[in-house]
Amino acid sequence: MTTAAASTTPSTGSPSVAATGPSTGPRRALDWRLRFGFLSLIWGFSFLLIKVGTQSYAPFQVTLGRLAFGTAVLAVAIAVKRERLPRGARTWAHLTVAALLLNALPFSLFAYAELTIPSTLAGICNATSPLWGMALSLVALSEDRPTRVRVAGLGLGFLGVLTVLGAWQGFSGLDARGTTLALLASLSYPIGWIYVRRTLAGSGGSALSMTGAQLLLATLQLAVVTPLFTTFPARFPLLPLLAIAALGALGTGLALLIQYGLVTEVGPTTAQMVTYFIPVIATAAGVALLGESLTWSTPVGAVIVLAGAALTQARRRA
């Protein structure tokens, strides 16, 4: 998860337009470190919630429910703060594309991926977003100059991906389709970030109202697509339904509100460090609560991925 012109969250969160620097607003009652830890837990457990949701509901239905609950939380926050939704057809057109790239598409891809791959692997694939972002920014953002450290981080990160996937064993036992979908979901985020950076940065809308509008548009997109590819559930199992509600209300809606506070208080660089805790929590949750298997290459590869991702975020010293 990288914060540039857009405040972005992992697949399990909701990448969105947001503030890009700290401010000197009022101190919050709960220390930012506690909120940081809570945010890490929410997003780390989101992969488990996706897995539970897809056990009884179609992936598109999981994504639609997630977006609907997340939008509801932001709608309440917007109403409480009496903020206005963005204005202008051009802004809404760009938000529609951002909603597809940063919400509807990656959320759906991860849901489909977890039909055939464990939540632990999905969480680690999510951590490759900074690597994809680094690679794409070298091509799409002329102001984002590479350094030897960042290029080395890129290479190290993808070496970690190969380690997680067990490349030396010929990817034996790996579900290629599910893994590819998870990696494509992670790739969708930086594509969306670059798009937002080029089209919506400095548009004037508040982070909360812009993101609320973005999630609303993503919900509408899934509301159109879902009936075309799924049938209405004959029954509604409670546990998976609660998982979807938690995924949306906590992992999307509340998580975004927490992230805004962190970005405002400590800045995007510190706030985005949550990215490096998510796969650790996702792996622990998948193994402990879902009984997913874990070989040595998964945690070792994840550490290499995270180290590479951290290096890709290194900046030139002035």
Side-chain angles (χ1 to χ4, degrees):
M1 174 176 55
T2 306
T3 306
S7 170
T8 55
T9 65
S11 65
T12 52
S14 300
S16 53
V17 180
T20 56
S23 69
T24 56
R27 292 182 59 84
R28 299 178 184 263
L30 193 62
D31 185 81
W32 73 266
R33 295 170 186 83
L34 294 177
R35 286 179 278 126
F36 181 97
F38 185 54
L39 183 61
S40 301
L41 285 173
I42 292 175
W43 277 334
F45 271 87
S46 290
F47 292 97
L48 179 149
L49 295 175
I50 293 173
K51 174 65 77 172
V52 173
T54 54
Q55 289 175 353
S56 297
Y57 297 96
F60 276 141
Q61 293 169 347
V62 171
T63 303
L64 175 59
R66 172 185 189 174
L67 288 168
F69 281 108
T71 301
V73 171
L74 290 188
V76 171
I78 290 172
V80 169
K81 295 189 176 183
R82 297 182 178 179
E83 293 197 10
R84 294 181 177 179
L85 289 175
R87 297 181 177 180
R90 184 181 182 87
T91 297
W92 280 91
H94 289 314
L95 283 173
T96 299
V97 178
L100 173 65
L101 294 174
L102 295 174
N103 302 116
L105 179 60
F107 289 2
S108 299
L109 288 175
F110 270 118
Y112 271 101
E114 289 201 43
L115 291 176
T116 55
I117 67 172
S119 64
T120 53
L121 179 55
I124 294 172
C125 287
N126 177 76
T128 64
S129 282
L131 304 177
W132 295 120
M134 165 67 181
L136 290 173
S137 67
L138 298 180
V139 177
L141 300 174
S142 59
E143 69 273 19
D144 201 1
R145 301 297 182 184
T147 65
R148 292 181 179 178
V149 170
R150 297 181 70 192
V151 172
L154 185 64
L156 182 64
F158 284 112
L159 176 63
V161 172
L162 294 177
T163 302
V164 170
L165 301 182
W168 66 92
Q169 298 175 335
F171 306 105
S172 176
L174 180 72
D175 184 84
R177 178 178 176 274
T179 305
T180 299
L181 291 177
L183 290 173
L184 287 175
S186 300
L187 173 60
S188 182
Y189 289 124
I191 294 175
W193 302 335
I194 292 173
Y195 179 84
V196 167
R197 185 169 173 177
R198 287 183 175 275
T199 60
L200 288 170
S203 59
S206 74
L208 181 57
S209 65
M210 294 285 279
T211 302
Q214 180 180 310
L215 282 187
L216 174 61
L217 290 167
T219 303
L220 293 176
Q221 290 169 357
L222 262 294
V224 172
V225 171
T226 301
L228 299 178
F229 294 94
T230 65
T231 58
F232 194 78
R235 59 190 185 90
F236 295 86
L238 182 58
L239 182 60
L241 186 60
L242 291 176
I244 295 171
L247 180 63
L250 299 178
T252 304
L254 179 60
L256 278 174
L257 297 178
I258 296 174
Q259 188 200 28
Y260 294 148
L262 290 175
V263 171
T264 300
E265 187 172 343
V266 300
T269 301
T270 300
Q272 76 180 17
M273 293 299 292
V274 70
T275 302
Y276 307 117
F277 292 87
I278 293 171
V280 177
I281 296 170
T283 299
V287 172
L289 299 179
L290 295 179
E292 296 178 346
S293 61
L294 188 68
T295 61
W296 69 267
S297 61
T298 300
V300 170
V303 170
I304 299 174
V305 168
L306 295 176
L311 289 177
T312 64
Q313 303 307 301
R315 302 295 176 184
R316 290 182 186 273
R317 294 183 178 180

